[in-house]
Amino acid sequence: MTDDLRIGVIGLGLRGNLAAVAHSPGAGSVVAAVADTDPAVLATVADRFLGAAAVAGHRTLLDDDGIDAVLVLTPDDTHEELACAALEAGKAVFLEKPMHITVEGCDRILRTAYETGSRLYVGHNMRHMGVVRLMRDIIARGDIGEPKTVWVRHFVSYGGDYYFKDWHADRRRTTGLLLQKAAHDLDVVHWLAGGYTQRVNALGDLMVYGDLPRREPDTPRPEGWLREFEWPPTERKDLHHVVDVEDVSVMNMRLDNGVIAAYQQCHFSPDYWRNYTVIGTEGRLENFGDRPGDEVRVWNTGPSDYRADADAVHKVPDATGGHGGADQRIMEEFCRFARDGGATDTSPVAARMSVAAGVMATRSLREGGAAYEVPPLDPRLAAYFANGQRRTEAVR
């Protein structure tokens, strides 16, 4: 490696840690510029990224021919505009998940990548989490036979703090948490099951946080936000002035390969973790904890009554860094992809399909639980991304 990949960052907020991971001067990549609309954030750039330019507008960053790649780490509703602008500027783009808050926005991003030939990468970092990769390896070995059903329970103890005290609570910015928060898990369901959601229905409600004290518009988040947490959930206060997303949701899916899946999310649980169960034709697996050192257990003999002792117990591998080491691994993969292209474990098409499933599930839960078909993707776009973002036909 002789030259560092020069990275521009748009939005140095809650996912700014990804920029810190990407900043490895002399070791392959360097943050060379940061664009943010907050002057207080821009004032920190010099200390965090030595030599990086700090600019208020993303256009200045995109017009810089010295920038090779861009990290888009801004709120969800801005993703379509910013990702398309970066792709049109010829930059390789890392787009934080979810891809966007509408199916149409996702499809425009994919179309722009197709038309420009600029490389697109979507940050579904759970594909690099040890627990997910371990489950996928167990399934790929055939330890539980052919997967037939996947169940996910997502307990979110800090939901009232992480998602109801800022823009996440406003459906105009997110569509809903069954998209914003669940996009990770829906992508994992698709990855483990080997198919994409085709039909969905869902139920949900705003059961706890709808009546709690809110801040006035244009007032700052409380001191100690994301460091100090109230309990029980009904004691939470200083919520965002708009709270109109559901804090409980359940979703059922039929995938295009026949797999049946279910996802459940609760934002006032006392604990915070994801529990996956995958049942195949010859057994089932289940994770107990989702961090390094936790376990994935497999039962593939029987039949039997309840038994806590599994036929095999697999430890989630040790790792350091954010999200069980996933943040480091996803940045390494993106930098390699931005520089050289090639196959990646993440997939822009899969990112679109997780959004599409979440959008239609949100529509279902807000319309009484009716079932809806997930809009299919343009076959030309699907073929382009399946071919490693290489066109084999003229753009029309």
Side-chain angles (χ1 to χ4, degrees):
M1 186 74 67
T2 56
D3 297 316
D4 287 328
L5 185 76
R6 293 178 59 79
I7 294 174
V9 179
I10 303 177
L12 196 62
L14 294 178
R15 288 297 274 151
N17 62 306
L18 288 174
V21 171
H23 188 57
S24 302
S29 59
V30 60
V31 172
V34 174
D36 200 288
T37 57
D38 186 343
V41 170
L42 292 179
T44 69
V45 169
D47 291 332
R48 297 171 70 175
F49 309 104
L50 183 63
V55 299
H58 69 274
R59 195 69 253 173
T60 301
L61 184 153
L62 296 181
D63 289 341
D64 185 348
D65 291 337
I67 299 297
D68 304 310
V70 171
L71 310 184
V72 178
L73 308 180
T74 53
D76 303 351
D77 58 319
T78 67
H79 286 183
E80 177 186 358
E81 175 189 351
L82 294 173
C84 288
L87 291 165
E88 288 166 349
K91 312 299 186 186
V93 173
F94 177 102
L95 179 59
E96 176 61 347
K97 75 88 200 166
M99 180 180 276
H100 190 55
I101 65 172
T102 68
V103 180
E104 295 79 8
C106 292
D107 287 352
R108 182 183 165 215
I109 294 169
L110 294 175
R111 176 73 184 179
T112 303
Y114 171 73
E115 291 175 343
T116 62
S118 300
R119 290 172 178 155
L120 173 65
Y121 187 101
V122 184
H124 276 279
N125 63 347
M126 280 190 67
R127 290 196 177 208
H128 288 273
M129 284 179 61
V131 66
V132 172
R133 298 180 80 84
L134 176 58
M135 290 188 295
R136 187 168 184 269
D137 289 346
I138 291 169
I139 292 168
R141 283 200 307 266
D143 292 8
I144 62 169
E146 182 183 356
K148 291 296 183 182
T149 189
V150 183
W151 307 336
V152 184
R153 298 182 299 164
H154 194 178
F155 310 104
V156 193
S157 60
Y158 299 113
D161 300 287
Y162 288 174
Y163 300 100
F164 288 86
K165 290 184 177 178
D166 71 352
W167 56 268
H168 292 84
D170 184 344
R171 65 175 64 177
R172 295 171 301 179
R173 310 290 306 274
T174 61
T175 295
L177 296 178
L178 195 49
L179 186 165
Q180 203 288 330
K181 182 62 171 163
H184 270 316
D185 294 287
L186 298 179
D187 180 59
V188 171
V189 167
H190 293 162
W191 207 38
L192 297 180
Y196 292 130
T197 298
Q198 190 172 63
R199 187 172 176 82
V200 301
N201 81 298
L203 295 171
D205 206 348
L206 180 56
M207 304 185 79
V208 170
Y209 299 118
D211 298 320
L212 299 187
R214 305 182 189 183
R215 307 191 312 277
E216 292 296 321
D218 302 317
T219 56
R221 290 170 294 217
E223 189 71 24
W225 182 67
L226 299 187
R227 297 191 307 274
E228 300 171 2
F229 308 103
E230 299 99 354
W231 187 262
T234 51
E235 294 298 314
R236 286 181 169 129
K237 53 187 181 297
D238 294 317
L239 270 60
H240 192 257
H241 65 280
V242 175
V243 176
D244 63 1
V245 296
E246 295 76 12
D247 52 19
V248 171
S249 55
V250 298
M251 171 182 175
N252 298 313
M253 297 160 269
R254 180 183 291 278
L255 276 56
D256 54 15
N257 60 0
V259 169
I260 298 293
Y263 172 81
Q264 304 172 13
Q265 180 187 102
C266 179
H267 284 267
F268 46 88
S269 166
D271 47 352
Y272 193 178
W273 65 294
R274 294 168 164 95
N275 173 249
Y276 289 86
T277 295
V278 183
I279 304 175
T281 53
E282 299 175 23
R284 75 174 177 93
L285 65 75
E286 184 175 355
N287 69 296
F288 292 81
D290 54 17
R291 297 184 177 185
D294 291 333
E295 295 180 348
V296 175
R297 302 177 191 172
V298 175
W299 290 263
N300 53 12
T301 63
S304 72
D305 296 326
Y306 169 78
R307 53 190 174 96
D309 57 318
D311 294 299
V313 177
H314 304 270
K315 290 285 187 181
V316 177
D318 290 338
T320 58
H323 294 92
D327 289 350
Q328 180 70 41
R329 288 190 286 268
I330 202 169
M331 275 289 100
E332 290 172 354
E333 182 173 76
F334 168 69
C335 290
R336 187 269 301 162
F337 172 71
R339 186 184 293 274
D340 302 322
T344 60
D345 282 334
T346 64
S347 161
V349 167
R352 183 267 191 193
M353 295 307 295
S354 72
V355 168
V359 165
M360 300 314 295
T362 302
R363 178 179 175 185
S364 173
L365 71 84
R366 291 175 184 165
E367 297 182 5
Y372 289 104
E373 298 291 323
V374 173
L377 179 63
D378 181 337
R380 286 180 299 168
L381 295 179
Y384 172 70
F385 287 97
N387 195 41
Q389 302 190 36
R390 296 185 299 272
R391 270 199 309 272
T392 57
E393 59 179 21
V395 178
R396 289 181 290 172

